[in-house]
Amino acid sequence: MKLTIASLNINGGRGSLRRFHHLSVLRDEGYAVSFLQETHTVASDEPTWLLEWEGGVYMSHLSSHSSGVAFLLAPSFQPEILKVQDIVPGRLLYLAVRLDGVPLHFINVYAPKIGAMQTRLTREVTTLLNTIDRGECVFLGGDFNCTLEVRDRTGVQRDPAAVKSLREMVESFELVDVWRNFHPDSNAFSYRFEGGGSRIDRLYVSKAYVSCVSAASMRPAPCSDHCLVR
């Protein structure tokens, strides 16, 4: 079983040209599962995405100007869908599938920038993780809007309490930062701004399955100020 996964904050996906560029990259690079954040979509946009993507599309909306998360499944990737749960609109989406008899759990996060709200979202993710068998494979990905290591950002982390909450969750459920696992001595940012940057976009996998991951990287993406994490 080979599975290719990517995560990208697309910084808005309602514009047809911007959406075309994003979908073309994901299609051409052949990701089985894509985690998207900041789709800026509403329910009425879903038929357009389904038509243009031609594979599985699962979305969670907040407004046409902010937030929104989605899973895109490649047309060739057709697992048994076990559950789709919109847990926090526009912020937290859960997809459970079975592939070749193996349950896989995908959790897509777009965290708020405010620390107290990040902590509340982490609690929601923790509640969800507690419903999943510890022996099954979890992929947790998205834009966390905070970092767990000092070297992963310039400047000072805004809310240490939010960082502590996320770190405790990651450690408690034995989730491994895939990029850091492959690049233990490297410094890189997934999001850049004037004068600095941060690695707020990450993919985690259950520790028991990290040996199945063969590579991890980040690269610039068109029409976004975030890198594509894969």
Side-chain angles (χ1 to χ4, degrees):
M1 177 179 68
K2 183 179 180 181
L3 192 64
T4 52
I5 297 175
S7 179
L8 175 63
N9 180 320
I10 65 174
N11 197 23
R14 299 198 79 216
S16 58
L17 182 59
R18 178 185 291 269
R19 189 172 59 251
F20 171 79
H21 283 302
H22 291 312
L23 297 186
S24 294
V25 167
L26 298 173
R27 186 182 296 110
D28 292 346
E29 297 189 2
Y31 301 109
V33 183
S34 300
F35 295 56
L36 303 184
Q37 303 85 44
E38 278 205 270
T39 56
H40 298 183
T41 52
V42 294
S44 60
D45 294 318
E46 291 190 25
T48 299
W49 282 73
L50 282 163
L51 179 66
E52 294 178 358
W53 178 246
E54 299 180 336
V57 177
Y58 304 93
M59 312 187 86
S60 171
H61 316 285
L62 186 60
S63 83
S64 61
H65 303 291
S66 67
S67 303
V69 290
F71 288 114
L72 303 184
L73 305 187
S76 59
F77 181 63
Q78 297 185 351
E80 177 188 356
I81 305 299
L82 302 177
K83 188 173 186 179
V84 181
Q85 188 175 0
D86 184 357
I87 298 172
V88 179
R91 296 286 185 188
L92 180 57
L93 183 63
Y94 169 55
L95 172 66
V97 308
R98 184 180 287 115
L99 179 66
D100 297 337
V102 179
L104 303 173
H105 304 269
F106 302 101
I107 304 172
N108 194 348
V109 170
Y110 175 53
K113 294 181 179 179
I114 299 170
M117 296 176 68
Q118 289 179 6
T119 301
R120 285 197 291 271
L121 190 66
T122 298
R123 289 196 199 106
E124 293 283 357
V125 179
T126 300
T127 299
L128 171 60
L129 288 169
N130 276 320
T131 69
I132 299 171
D133 189 305
R134 289 292 185 112
E136 295 181 352
C137 184
V138 172
F139 295 96
L140 169 66
D143 178 349
F144 294 87
N145 261 316
C146 74
T147 58
L148 300 186
E149 297 181 83
V150 174
R151 60 177 167 165
D152 282 338
R153 69 178 304 113
T154 56
V156 178
Q157 182 68 51
R158 285 187 291 264
D159 195 317
V163 174
K164 180 175 182 289
S165 175
L166 180 59
R167 180 180 289 111
E168 288 175 348
M169 183 194 74
V170 166
E171 292 176 353
S172 174
F173 290 94
E174 297 188 301
L175 299 173
V176 176
D177 178 344
V178 176
W179 187 87
R180 177 57 69 203
N181 187 62
F182 279 90
H183 308 277
D185 301 315
S186 299
N187 294 332
F189 297 147
S190 64
Y191 170 65
R192 291 191 175 272
F193 50 85
E194 186 175 352
S198 58
R199 193 171 67 87
I200 55 178
D201 306 278
R202 300 186 294 278
L203 281 168
Y204 294 90
V205 66
S206 301
K207 184 177 181 179
Y209 290 84
V210 73
S211 62
C212 299
V213 181
S214 60
S217 63
M218 294 188 292
R219 72 162 186 78
C223 302
S224 178
D225 48 3
H226 292 252
C227 285
L228 185 146
V229 181
R230 54 188 178 175

